[in-house]
Amino acid sequence: MDKTAQDVAAWMVTEIRHRGMLKQEEAVAHIREHFGERFVFENERGHTGLDREVVKAFRKLHGGRVAWDRDGFFWGWT
């Protein structure tokens, strides 16, 4: 069975809900290993980010209960 952006987003929300936060570098490493390279990309500045479909699914799933900490590069449960 192929993994979907929805699967990745669900994993992220579950991690944040249980741990309280999720660092971007940890998320990217886990996503690459368990879901596949297609769900991450490197932007023009050389930073690794999440595929747009993952981000859209993630936003829908958390419904505003997760906030991004720009300085700390992590998502946290609000």
Side-chain angles (χ1 to χ4, degrees):
M1 179 165 77
D2 285 335
K3 304 290 185 180
T4 66
Q6 186 75 21
D7 295 329
V8 177
W11 170 79
M12 291 175 65
V13 170
T14 299
E15 284 295 299
I16 297 165
R17 184 178 296 146
H18 292 297
R19 293 175 46 197
M21 65 174 285
L22 178 61
K23 292 182 179 180
Q24 182 174 356
E25 68 181 41
E26 292 173 356
V28 167
H30 183 89
I31 291 165
R32 274 190 171 133
E33 182 176 344
H34 297 278
F35 295 98
E37 188 71 32
R38 72 179 192 261
F39 295 111
V40 297
F41 72 96
E42 190 171 308
N43 68 20
E44 62 278 352
R45 293 184 178 179
H47 299 285
T48 307
L50 301 176
D51 177 75
R52 290 183 192 267
E53 292 302 312
V54 171
V55 173
K56 285 182 358 186
F58 178 63
R59 286 182 180 149
K60 278 186 179 180
L61 280 177
H62 74 66
R65 295 177 306 236
V66 172
W68 170 249
D69 184 300
R70 181 171 255 209
D71 295 329
F73 289 94
F74 69 86
W75 296 273
W77 196 256
T78 58

